[in-house]
Amino acid sequence: MPEDPEDAATLARVADRLVKAFAGLDRETVESAVGTAYAELRYARVRTYLPILVERRARDLLAAAGDDPFPGGEGDRDPAGR
């Protein structure tokens, strides 16, 4: 996990949201996906978007494992598909 306390707090919030979205999974599985996503993106130059990018990547990892709470690819899009 991150060395930066701010990143750690951000990732905890991301994990909290994903635990709610993937209610059928235990927290450890979700935190693992968040950690993997963070490891892939932690060296990004522009850190402003790191939380949303980590959340989206972790969501993709969890969905790829067959645990998508929005089957059919709806994800967290609005009804207009954005």
Side-chain angles (χ1 to χ4, degrees):
M1 280 312 221
E3 294 175 13
D4 181 353
E6 187 174 324
D7 282 355
T10 298
L11 295 182
R13 288 189 298 273
V14 167
D16 289 343
R17 285 192 298 272
L18 290 176
V19 164
K20 291 175 186 173
F22 291 86
L25 296 177
D26 60 274
R27 185 171 190 86
E28 184 176 304
T29 301
V30 172
E31 286 178 349
S32 176
V34 171
T36 298
Y38 176 76
E40 293 174 3
L41 299 165
R42 69 179 168 194
Y43 295 112
R45 287 185 185 179
V46 180
R47 311 228 5 119
T48 303
Y49 303 108
L50 188 62
I52 190 64
L53 294 174
V54 167
E55 184 167 347
R56 287 182 180 176
R57 179 62 181 135
R59 187 178 292 273
D60 289 346
L61 291 169
L62 294 167
D67 299 313
D68 191 350
F70 303 100
E74 290 302 312
D76 56 356
R77 291 185 228 154
D78 67 19
R82 291 176 267 170

